[in-house]
Amino acid sequence: MGRPPCCDKEGVKKGPWTPEEDIILVSYIQEHGPGNWRAVPTNTGLLRCSKSCRLRWTNYLRPGIKRGNFTDNEEKMIIHLQALLGNRWAAIASYLPQRTDNDIKNYWNTYLKKKLTKIQAGLEGSSQSREGFSSSQPSMSRGQWERRLQTDIRMAKQALSEALSPEKSTSLTEQKPSSSETLSTTKQVPQSSTYASSTENISRLLKSWMRNPPKRAKTAPSSLSHLGTTGADYTSSEGTTPLSTTSANNNGNNIDLSEAFESLFGFESFESSNSDFSQSNNMSPEGSLFQDESKPDPNAQLPFSLLEKWLFDESGTQGKEVVLSDLILDENANFF
DNA sequence: AAGCAATTCAACCGCGGTCCG
DNA sequence: TCGGACCGCGGTTGAATTGCT
């Protein structure tokens, strides 16, 4: 029957987003919330298709996103979750709430896959190939598949155990409050905090961009790369910005975008990057991520608490197979 | 310093699933 | 039940950047 294109090919802008567009999008979402993406370009005047807006939000502007290098623990998690779930990046990302599926996918494709291939080559001769861990083996009998899945689960538990237990105060726990805290805060999800934090996210990057406007520094968050380049455009196109307040306040030199942002959305503390995660835990901008068991709300931090429960309940459930998805389903049942 | 190759990652594309009239 | 509209996901692309010669 032929699906019509998601957006008009004509008049739709493609390519990197400019700070102006980011601001427009964020301010719109702050006001209306994420969702109904179809309406976003129409209502904001952005010359972008709805998909592009959604992608920009979920992969870049959404609050609580951590960028930069992956930690060892994150790497382990990804490797084991990939073994368990296959290339279901969104599902994997739900266990790494600070990372987007796109990030994880990129990391896997550009780094981890190669790394594992090398390791595998080093272990050449040992029977199990990397792909052998995938649960999506088509020619596997159900019994085999289940046994393998259980092995995978055990491996993942082990990895998670390593990741979570040794110094619970390191990366993973410093990123999250206690699971009970998580659960209680998740239920509240104050809207205002959600969108204030989203503006914090973008303002932080804008501020960072203001610090290094002309050239892209490798040490800067990689996500700022395009801002570094488009940033020059922005300065040159000042006055064309739809947010006239920003240019109105400047005296002809640099526009203090972050300041403008502060005044626009009424928040502060750009420097509180350490608190990002805890703040982001309170956010659930998408709000619809519990649609199935494989998609626990990444922002709600539930997955980690589940995994912890899953891991630490192990001792109490010895001899009984604990299935993660069951746990998640149970938790969801309690959750709603 | 210049040219080329390799790498990274933001963004796009197209498909499948779900919702709704 | 059907079909259109929308959303989300995974695969892929290509511009920007980095590293090497």
Side-chain angles (χ1 to χ4, degrees), chain A residues 26-74:
Chain A
V26 168
S27 60
Y28 177 82
I29 290 175
Q30 187 197 29
E31 207 174 320
H32 299 92
N36 194 13
W37 296 107
R38 187 73 175 178
V40 173
T42 321
N43 295 342
T44 58
L46 284 169
L47 300 175
R48 298 278 182 172
C49 75
S50 53
K51 272 180 154 187
S52 186
C53 294
R54 182 178 57 80
L55 214 63
R56 183 64 181 167
W57 172 257
T58 54
N59 286 342
Y60 192 82
L61 300 173
R62 181 165 58 87
I65 292 177
K66 177 179 161 190
R67 317 203 69 90
N69 295 338
F70 282 73
T71 65
D72 285 348
N73 288 335
E74 286 174 320

Side-chain angles (χ1 to χ4, degrees), chain A residues 16-30:
Chain A
W17 281 65
T18 64
E20 295 102 314
E21 289 175 314
D22 283 343
I23 290 169
I24 293 170
L25 181 59
V26 168
S27 60
Y28 177 82
I29 290 175
Q30 187 197 29

Side-chain angles (χ1 to χ4, degrees), chain A residues 23 76 155 158 168 192 195 231 250 324 332:
Chain A
I23 290 169
K76 280 183 197 168
M155 285 173 60
Q158 200 178 338
K168 275 188 89 82
S192 57
Y195 294 109
N250 89 69
L324 179 58
N332 287 348

Side-chain angles (χ1 to χ4, degrees), chain A residues 209-233:
Chain A
W209 165 70
M210 289 302 292
R211 287 205 188 105
N212 334 286
K215 66 174 184 182
R216 170 175 173 169
K218 187 63 177 182
T219 52
S222 57
S223 57
L224 292 175
S225 56
H226 82 275
L227 291 180
T229 51
T230 56
D233 297 342

